[in-house]
Amino acid sequence: MNMSDLNTTLNRLYDTAVPDRNDIVSLLSISDADELKQLFTFADHVRKQHVGDGVLLRGIVEFSNFCGNNCAYCGLKKDNTTINRYRLSVDEILQSIGQIYSSSIRTVVLQSGEEHSIDAEWMAKLLKKIKSRFDIAVTLSVGERSYEDYELWRKAGADRYLLKIETTDKQLYNSLHPDMSFEKRIDCLRTIKQLGYQSGTGCIVGLKGQTIETLANDIMFFAAEQFDMLGIGPFIPHQDTPLKDDDPGELDMILKTLAVTRIVTKDTHMPATTAIGSLNSGDERLKALQCGANVMMPNYTPQPYKKDYEIYPGKRCIDEPSGACANCMEQMAQSIGRYIDYSRGDSLKTSSATTIQ
Ligand code: 5AD
């Protein structure tokens, strides 16, 4: 593509309500360094225009690594007997949230493996406690549950829910997720939206069998469904999984996916994911922040548990005390002319599509 064609494609994609899949495919196919630069700069402008220069912080507490699923890529998979399983007590969780709150952060993400044994009432009680003690937005990321559980938790005060679709290629999805179903996942996302959660999904980039067309379909899905939040990260092979010998996701492909997603979805909150930061020894999250991302997720999981939440290997900073990240993130933002925004960072979407086809 020459530079003026590229410019035309970028503007067309930005201007149309329903993106043309061919445009997305052609942007994801870019490999020339100058063209990449043009794509990333365009996405950075869209980011600046629609969500500004603030980098939002979400303090994450990985409160349990028990999991009932066997996702082929994930180190927490049920069949991985080599890891130390833990579950934080309510007091430990509240303490971690206290630390988040004292760092002036106003969102907590409570994440765990998909633990079928998490009692719905236990979670509802925890949510009520959090909401009565702290003026903080709560995001849940605990997987697929029944309509009743999602409703109970929403009523108990949960504001947001993250459930990644991982890939919209149904066949690939089913091959990676034994005993799970693509339809069920979509159903859960539909319920989450219906119940008025600010909803987030996302995909893994670099899975074997995934093509540029697959990724373009993921982006079409994101655009059609108007999610409030989108997390996009690289696949990183984990030694105790069947995908241990697969190659990791390529940085450029991740950045391209982020950039195109920013251009088509405009005001979505998108993290520079921890997985991007874990890809190389240098911290590639800075690059992500410069081609579309506007969120970072400091880790407040207390020690000694951080290392046991090993979704993928090489996670950054797992030896640091909990809460060490926030200062570091201030510096990262400043180094690229941005600043940390300590507000709750609610969704900027004015209307959200509530029906998933
Ligand atoms: N590489 C990259 N991302 C992974 N996840 C799980 N395992 C891996 C891996 N090996 C991501 C999934 C999941 C999130 C919590 O972590 O997208 O939704």
Side-chain angles (χ1 to χ4, degrees):
M1 217 182 322
N2 69 41
M3 287 305 191
S4 106
D5 286 350
L6 176 52
N7 201 36
T8 309
T9 307
L10 287 167
N11 280 293
R12 185 170 53 228
L13 199 58
Y14 177 72
D15 285 334
T16 45
V18 181
D20 182 338
R21 192 171 166 277
N22 293 327
D23 284 343
I24 296 179
V25 168
S26 72
L27 293 176
L28 294 179
S29 308
I30 288 175
S31 57
D32 175 79
D34 289 338
E35 294 181 9
L36 280 177
K37 197 166 163 214
Q38 196 175 336
L39 166 62
F40 297 158
T41 305
F42 192 93
D44 199 41
H45 282 144
V46 176
R47 187 268 312 149
K48 190 178 172 77
Q49 194 172 338
H50 289 270
V51 301
D53 281 337
V55 175
L56 297 166
L57 296 186
R58 322 296 201 191
I60 183 163
V61 181
E62 299 150 335
F63 68 91
S64 162
N65 67 354
F66 282 91
C67 193
N69 290 339
N70 263 315
C71 307
Y73 44 78
C74 185
L76 303 188
K77 70 202 294 291
K78 180 171 79 178
D79 290 352
N80 184 6
T81 51
T82 65
I83 61 169
N84 172 44
R85 302 278 173 177
Y86 71 89
R87 185 179 299 133
L88 300 187
S89 67
V90 167
D91 281 347
E92 284 172 313
I93 297 171
L94 289 171
Q95 232 171 46
S96 301
I97 298 174
Q99 224 184 352
I100 291 171
Y101 195 82
S102 329
S103 315
S104 308
I105 296 173
R106 292 294 175 263
T107 293
V108 56
V109 179
L110 292 177
Q111 190 176 83
S112 70
E114 210 163 311
E115 201 192 337
H116 302 295
S117 63
I118 291 179
D119 181 57
E121 292 292 343
W122 173 88
M123 178 59 88
K125 257 170 87 178
L126 172 65
L127 287 165
K128 284 180 191 155
K129 260 193 195 148
I130 296 169
K131 288 303 212 174
S132 70
R133 289 192 198 177
F134 305 101
D135 177 17
I136 199 166
V138 180
T139 305
L140 294 179
S141 176
V142 302
E144 296 176 12
R145 303 288 299 206
S146 67
Y147 184 97
E148 289 71 30
D149 290 357
Y150 286 138
E151 189 181 36
L152 179 73
W153 296 344
R154 178 84 186 100
K155 285 186 176 154
D159 302 276
R160 308 179 189 145
Y161 207 100
L162 302 176
L163 186 73
K164 290 199 187 178
I165 191 69
E166 317 294 3
T167 175
T168 56
D169 179 330
K170 195 172 145 181
Q171 255 189 337
L172 182 60
Y173 182 93
N174 287 333
S175 75
L176 293 169
H177 302 98
D179 306 321
M180 293 172 70
S181 105
F182 185 75
E183 284 76 18
K184 169 95 193 293
R185 197 108 180 143
I186 295 281
D187 237 35
C188 286
L189 281 169
R190 187 180 294 138
T191 302
I192 287 162
K193 288 177 140 211
Q194 267 172 9
L195 289 169
Y197 284 96
Q198 292 171 41
S199 62
T201 192
C203 63
I204 302 178
V205 177
L207 293 164
K208 198 170 171 178
Q210 193 179 44
T211 62
I212 282 185
E213 282 71 23
T214 324
L215 285 171
N217 287 339
D218 292 353
I219 296 174
M220 292 295 283
F221 173 70
F222 300 156
E225 299 305 334
Q226 297 282 315
F227 290 100
D228 305 289
M229 305 167 285
L230 289 168
I232 294 166
F235 164 69
I236 301 174
H238 188 290
Q239 65 282 2
D240 299 318
T241 67
L243 305 190
K244 61 178 185 297
D245 297 323
D246 287 3
D247 291 330
E250 284 169 27
L251 181 63
D252 276 350
M253 189 55 83
I254 289 133
L255 297 178
K256 283 188 281 185
T257 308
L258 253 177
V260 177
T261 303
R262 169 60 70 201
I263 295 166
V264 302
T265 70
K266 307 203 167 49
D267 57 0
T268 318
H269 291 314
M270 301 205 303
T273 54
T274 310
I276 295 178
S278 307
L279 206 51
N280 295 323
S281 53
D283 195 332
E284 307 292 15
R285 284 178 297 183
L286 281 177
K287 288 189 185 139
L289 288 172
Q290 292 175 289
C291 67
N294 71 316
V295 173
M296 292 187 86
M297 302 180 68
N299 190 328
Y300 281 82
T301 306
Q303 294 293 20
Y305 303 113
K306 267 187 178 180
K307 67 171 180 338
D308 295 325
Y309 202 82
E310 197 189 57
I311 296 177
Y312 45 79
K315 258 172 104 179
R316 292 191 86 81
C317 310
I318 47 170
D319 297 326
E320 301 282 320
S322 69
C325 311
N327 281 343
C328 180
M329 288 177 180
E330 281 272 0
Q331 287 169 24
M332 286 175 75
Q334 274 172 24
S335 76
I336 52 168
R338 306 270 280 280
Y339 65 92
I340 298 294
D341 175 348
Y342 284 97
S343 68
R344 274 168 58 113
D346 280 307
S347 174
L348 297 170
K349 303 272 179 204
T350 43
S351 67
S352 58
T354 48
T355 46
I356 293 181
Q357 301 306 317

